[in-house]
Amino acid sequence: MARPVVRESAGATTGRVTLVGAGPGDPGLVTVAGRAAIETADVVVADRLAPWEALAWAPAHAEVVDVSKIPFGRSTSQDEINRILVDHATAGRHVVRLKGGDSYVFGRGFEEVQACAAAGIATTVIPGVTSSVAAPELAGVPVTHRGLVQGFTVISGHVPPGHPDSTIDYAALARSGTTLVVLMGVRTLPAITEALLDAGLDGGTPCALVADASLAGQRSLRTTLAKAASDAATAGIGAPAVAVIGHVAALEP
């Protein structure tokens, strides 16, 4: 049986932190190892996109700390989250950091591991089902398909093309021949699609948008690269949503 990655800090005699990737939203997609960690937690530090129904698995004495980051709303800084993890673990508690998706896919999980390591706190990382694959799959879209595409590229749309913080070469993406999966890109979708079009990607390239994947309100939209931004706005597609750009988005079961 595969075991979670454990990072032990030399001489650690305090509590511990377990990072649990909780999947795209449906608590049924939390791994068995993730549930076992929640069941032994003294403190659960949970994100907005984590399945809050999973908190029912925690012991009655467990404290729940909401560290949601709400777009254009209340937000807990990463430094504050790090402090919460370290303080509770230093007090001898088992702290479960519950995140949507996978902790290491745009989840800042490794920053939290580093903060714990600097404080001498032992950490365990339990992988989660990432929405970059799960959301398309739940909408009937494979990210790869034999004879059609041999790879997929996952990018963050948190900042638009041309932004000083963007490290993405959209021209290279347009030439890559891979399926493009965009996370956190609802707000920046117009700029992203424009950059890909300007780089030469065909406007007729199929595109799928999946919102609230795995939840009762899941919605999906099939469109094209040229029409993706306008169609998403017309349909009222909002965050959290995943965009899939490539020929796989035209496949039907």
Side-chain angles (χ1 to χ4, degrees):
M1 174 180 171
R3 297 180 61 83
V5 175
V6 179
R7 304 294 184 206
E8 295 288 353
S9 300
T13 58
T14 59
R16 58 195 173 100
V17 172
T18 304
L19 273 67
V20 175
D26 182 342
L29 295 176
V30 177
T31 66
V32 173
R35 176 165 182 161
I38 296 169
E39 290 175 340
T40 60
D42 298 308
V43 181
V44 180
V45 181
D47 274 355
R48 178 177 68 95
L49 297 181
W52 282 72
E53 298 93 332
L55 297 176
W57 304 333
H61 72 269
E63 177 182 351
V64 176
V65 181
D66 179 0
V67 292
S68 298
K69 290 182 172 69
I70 301 173
F72 306 106
R74 178 174 64 85
S75 181
T76 307
S77 72
Q78 189 60 53
D79 285 344
E80 176 65 8
I81 293 172
N82 294 347
R83 184 195 65 78
I84 291 169
L85 298 177
V86 169
D87 284 357
H88 280 292
T90 300
R93 303 182 182 106
H94 176 207
V95 185
V96 168
R97 177 69 171 102
L98 192 64
K99 295 172 172 284
D102 180 86
S103 300
Y104 281 9
V105 182
F106 306 131
R108 299 189 179 182
F110 199 69
E111 293 180 40
E112 295 169 0
V113 169
Q114 290 177 315
C116 290
I121 304 298
T123 62
T124 303
V125 180
I126 298 177
V129 176
T130 171
S131 60
S132 61
V133 174
E137 187 171 342
L138 290 166
V141 178
V143 292
T144 63
H145 188 70
R146 185 163 63 98
L148 186 63
V149 62
Q150 298 174 355
F152 65 100
T153 304
V154 183
I155 67 170
S156 165
H158 181 64
V159 295
H163 190 281
D165 293 335
S166 176
T167 62
I168 297 172
D169 185 339
Y170 283 90
L173 286 182
R175 298 190 304 268
S176 69
T178 66
T179 302
L180 306 181
V181 181
V182 184
L183 304 184
M184 302 180 290
V186 172
R187 179 177 57 85
T188 57
L189 188 61
I192 290 172
T193 55
E194 181 180 0
L196 292 171
L197 291 168
D198 288 347
L201 192 58
D202 189 342
T205 302
C207 179
L209 298 164
V210 188
D212 295 316
S214 82
L215 302 178
Q218 176 179 310
R219 302 173 61 202
S220 60
L221 171 69
R222 303 286 186 113
T223 180
T224 63
L225 178 65
K227 297 179 179 179
S230 60
D231 284 354
T234 299
I237 296 292
V242 174
V244 185
I245 302 167
H247 294 294
V248 292
L251 295 176
E252 297 286 351

